[in-house]
């Protein structure tokens, strides 16, 4: 038995973001807040979206201060801006950080208090205002999930608002908007998508439905991530990676993630390391740890990633999956060791990091092989 979860309407194709104004009109919104970051403002992408809104006679105010690891405090500030301008809808423009903040703002407009009050499962009482997500990266899948991951500046806690009311009404997947991603961002967000697909495929909650999307995501990422990273103007590569990110997001929404995410979260929350980078670094070590529990699934994933392991015994192919992931991380010029991050991480921090990772109970329960504190610390040491 399994459940299938879907997002709202999804439109894909070059130039599809131009439809944002007419869609907001169809949702009954005349005033909207655009949630984005300084990069989208600097590159002129935010101006392009606002021009589409103006053409549809939708009035907009823009918040362009979302940080890479978005905070509760920033989210509360955007919500206050939206209330001041009597906004009737929210547009999330950018990567996962911008979209997560946008989704949270949509429910804060109609619910009282700080975003911190809703970090947890199903705590939102009143439906939010309509929301449209326009991703400009290909990795987080935030445009199809019901979560918003936020950190608290006060205590460094990083946790999710998880509620079906966060699901977007529309997601506009326009590969042309991903042309501006530099190689490092393309690589790290692409690896984030890979982790979503692989952890979803090997999750204890995996189903025939989520497996379909995991296969489509992994096949595309194995073929196109390197090309998209080093030849960013290749429209086919950008299109395939944006689709892969979407498929991986559907996998994530239906099957969850596992130990790699649990171990990566505290690295981002405590040391400010980008989420995709943390996931990419920890993944090969987690895969090797998990091989005894699901060698069959990792063997299949290796084939989908194009590692040439068809016909190999499951264990050999599964271990080759971990090696292939290490090669991919190296080809993408992403760090393979915690010590290479230059973020101040030392072995003395592993105990505290492991404690935080163990607090990600939902992730660890999905993992095919159980982890205790000793195992978490051992994985951090191996990755150091």
């Amino acid at each position: 038995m399994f459940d299938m979860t879907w997002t709202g309407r999804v439109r894909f194709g070059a130039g599809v973001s131009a439809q944002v104004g007419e869609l907001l009109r169809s949702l009954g919104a005349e005033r909207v807040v655009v949630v984005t970051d300084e990069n989208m403002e600097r590159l002129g992408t935010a101006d392009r979206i606002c021009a589409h809104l103006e053409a549809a006679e939708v009035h907009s105010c823009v918040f362009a201060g979302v940080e890479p690891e978005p905070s509760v405090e920033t989210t509360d500030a955007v919500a206050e801006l939206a209330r001041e301008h009597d906004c009737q809808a929210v547009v999330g423009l950018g990567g996962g950080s911008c979209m997560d903040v946008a989704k949270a703002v949509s429910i804060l407009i109609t619910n009282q208090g700080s975003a911190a009050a809703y970090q947890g499962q199903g705590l939102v009482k009143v439906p939010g205002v309509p929301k449209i997500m326009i991703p400009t990266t290909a990795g987080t899948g935030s445009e199809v999930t019901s979560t918003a991951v936020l950190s608290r500046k006060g205590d460094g806690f990083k946790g999710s608002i998880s509620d079906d009311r966060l699901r977007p009404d529309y997601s506009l997947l326009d590969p042309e908007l991903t042309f501006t991603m530099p190689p490092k961002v393309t690589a790290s967000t692409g690896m984030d998508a890979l982790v979503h697909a692989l952890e979803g495929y090997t999750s204890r909650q995996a189903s025939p439905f989520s497996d379909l999307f995991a296969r489509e995501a992994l096949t595309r990422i194995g073929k196109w991530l390197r090309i998209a990273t080093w030849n960013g103007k290749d429209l086919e590569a950008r299109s395939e990676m944006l689709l892969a990110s979407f498929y991986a997001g559907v996998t994530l929404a239906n099957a969850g993630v596992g130990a790699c995410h649990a171990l990566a979260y505290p690295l981002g929350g405590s040391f400010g390391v980008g989420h995709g980078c943390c996931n990419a670094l920890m993944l090969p070590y987690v895969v090797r740890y998990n091989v005894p529990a699901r060698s069959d699934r990792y063997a299949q994933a290796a084939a989908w990633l194009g590692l040439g392991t068809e016909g190999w015994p499951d264990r050999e192919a599964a271990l080759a999956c971990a090696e292939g992931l290490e090669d991919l991380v190296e080809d993408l010029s992403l760090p393979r060791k915690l010590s290479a991050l230059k973020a101040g991480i030392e072995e003395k921090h592993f105990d505290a990091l492991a404690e935080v990772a163990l607090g990600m109970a939902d992730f660890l329960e999905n993992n095919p092989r159980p982890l205790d504190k000793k195992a978490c610390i051992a994985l951090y040491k191996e990755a150091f």
Side-chain angles (χ1 to χ4, degrees):
M1 186 177 76
F2 61 89
D3 293 330
M4 295 186 296
T5 300
W6 194 249
T7 184
R9 297 287 298 275
V10 177
R11 294 189 179 182
F12 173 87
V16 74
S17 58
Q19 301 175 14
V20 61
E22 64 185 65
L23 290 175
L24 284 166
R25 275 288 185 177
S26 73
L27 293 169
E30 297 180 356
R31 295 177 301 279
V32 62
V33 59
V34 178
V35 182
T36 190
D37 59 29
E38 60 181 11
N39 288 327
M40 292 297 100
E41 188 174 52
R42 175 176 54 82
L43 293 166
T45 308
D47 287 341
R48 288 171 58 187
I49 296 302
C50 288
H52 297 320
L53 296 173
E54 185 178 350
E57 298 184 344
V58 176
H59 303 289
S60 63
C61 60
V62 178
F63 183 95
V66 176
E67 60 268 66
E69 292 290 320
S71 66
V72 162
E73 291 80 2
T74 293
T75 305
D76 291 346
V78 183
E80 183 60 31
L81 175 69
R83 294 189 200 100
E84 288 175 0
H85 287 80
D86 195 23
C87 292
Q88 301 164 315
V90 181
V91 172
L93 173 69
S97 297
C98 297
M99 290 188 286
D100 279 6
V101 171
K103 290 189 292 186
V105 167
S106 74
I107 59 103
L108 290 182
I109 291 174
T110 55
N111 292 266
Q112 295 182 346
S114 167
Y118 303 98
Q119 286 180 299
Q121 294 278 348
L123 301 179
V124 180
K125 304 301 182 184
V126 180
V129 299
K131 45 201 166 293
I132 294 179
M133 300 297 118
I134 307 177
T136 63
T137 64
T140 68
S142 181
E143 70 273 11
V144 293
T145 66
S146 60
T147 60
V149 183
L150 304 172
S151 297
R152 297 197 297 248
K153 292 180 179 178
D155 58 9
F157 173 81
K158 184 176 181 179
S160 299
I161 301 174
S162 297
D163 196 289
D164 283 343
R165 292 189 167 104
L166 266 66
R167 295 192 187 281
D169 295 272
Y170 278 93
S171 296
L172 303 180
L173 308 183
D174 186 344
E176 290 183 345
L177 297 186
T178 68
F179 283 157
T180 57
M181 273 196 297
K184 183 177 180 181
V185 177
T186 303
S188 62
T189 57
M191 285 301 300
D192 194 20
L194 192 158
V195 176
H196 292 158
L198 185 57
E199 289 209 291
Y201 181 59
T202 56
S203 165
R204 292 177 182 270
Q205 295 187 64
S207 69
F209 178 76
S210 62
D211 288 353
L212 291 173
F213 290 92
R215 180 192 67 200
E216 293 301 315
L218 292 171
T219 301
R220 284 171 167 79
I221 293 168
K223 181 176 181 179
W224 293 105
L225 179 52
R226 290 177 175 90
I227 298 171
T229 297
W230 301 119
N231 186 9
K233 297 301 182 182
D234 187 313
L235 179 60
E236 185 176 14
R238 290 298 196 187
S239 298
E240 293 292 342
M241 281 304 302
L242 192 57
L243 271 179
S245 174
F246 168 69
Y247 292 145
V250 177
T251 306
L252 160 67
N254 284 275
V257 290
C260 185
H261 269 73
L263 293 165
Y265 263 45
L267 295 173
S270 299
F271 295 95
V273 184
H275 178 65
C277 182
C278 293
N279 270 335
L281 193 156
M282 295 302 306
L283 184 61
Y285 305 101
V286 173
V287 169
R288 285 196 186 91
Y289 177 85
N290 283 337
V291 162
R294 286 314 309 251
S295 61
D296 58 333
R297 293 234 153 190
Y298 287 113
Q300 180 61 74
W304 288 340
L305 286 167
L307 299 181
T309 56
E310 291 85 348
W312 291 22
D314 281 354
R315 181 175 175 80
E316 290 182 21
L319 291 173
C321 183
E323 293 177 9
L325 291 169
E326 285 184 329
D327 291 342
L328 177 57
V329 171
E330 185 170 0
D331 287 348
L332 298 175
S333 294
L334 292 173
R336 292 177 56 186
K337 291 289 184 178
L338 292 174
S339 55
L341 292 174
K342 307 299 182 185
I345 303 171
E346 300 179 19
E347 287 197 49
K348 66 181 181 182
H349 298 125
F350 293 167
D351 187 274
L353 289 169
E355 285 286 353
V356 177
L358 289 171
M360 306 290 172
D362 290 346
F363 297 168
L364 294 182
E365 287 173 4
N366 288 339
N367 200 65
R369 184 180 175 186
L371 278 86
D372 55 16
K373 186 174 181 179
K374 183 179 179 181
C376 291
I377 291 174
L379 284 167
Y380 281 132
K381 286 183 176 179
E382 189 178 355
F384 190 70

